[in-house]
Amino acid sequence: MIEIEVQNETHQSQERMRFAAVPRIGEGLRLREPDGIWASYDVLDVWYQKAEFGDVWMPYLHVCMTPGEGDNADETAGDQLAAPAVASMEAQFQGAVSAQDGELEPFKI
């Protein structure tokens, strides 16, 4: 296990965590929020600093919450925007199914 200091830009906090491998820039992590809920975070930066003991380089991470992860209002708004498109696709599907009485027609998206 590798002990890494994770600097959370969203909550302006630091903590040491253990990982099996050092995450790369752009990868996602699931971290527990201060309120106990799990959330997705993106790795913004990875760097190494020489430790005070021996010839060892310690990894550090900067993370920031994934955009839209903590906004429940945005998620429900996205669902409402997708509803008309889903209804349209369902209508097209029903039309394709009813057309199967005769010759089959390809489904058009």
Side-chain angles (χ1 to χ4, degrees):
M1 295 300 263
I2 302 167
E3 190 167 299
I4 302 175
E5 181 172 310
V6 178
Q7 298 179 0
N8 188 331
E9 296 296 323
T10 303
H11 298 293
Q12 297 298 311
S13 63
Q14 299 179 31
E15 67 179 282
R16 290 199 165 272
M17 302 179 73
R18 292 183 182 194
F19 291 85
V22 178
R24 296 181 292 180
I25 295 173
E27 287 187 339
L29 303 173
R30 297 288 288 174
L31 300 175
R32 192 178 298 240
E33 292 283 298
D35 61 1
I37 303 297
W38 289 92
S40 294
Y41 285 83
D42 294 327
V43 176
L44 301 176
D45 192 19
V46 179
W47 77 97
Y48 296 85
Q49 291 181 351
K50 192 168 183 176
E52 296 176 8
F53 54 90
D55 194 19
V56 177
W57 292 83
M58 301 293 295
Y60 291 80
L61 295 177
H62 267 139
V63 298
C64 185
M65 186 179 285
T66 302
E69 176 68 21
D71 303 332
N72 289 334
D74 290 343
E75 291 173 10
T76 56
D79 291 343
Q80 291 172 354
L81 292 175
V86 170
S88 172
M89 289 178 66
E90 287 176 351
Q92 288 178 358
F93 177 73
Q94 290 299 329
V97 169
S98 64
Q100 286 183 6
D101 296 338
E103 187 175 332
L104 293 178
E105 294 180 20
F107 181 72
K108 298 176 185 173
I109 296 177

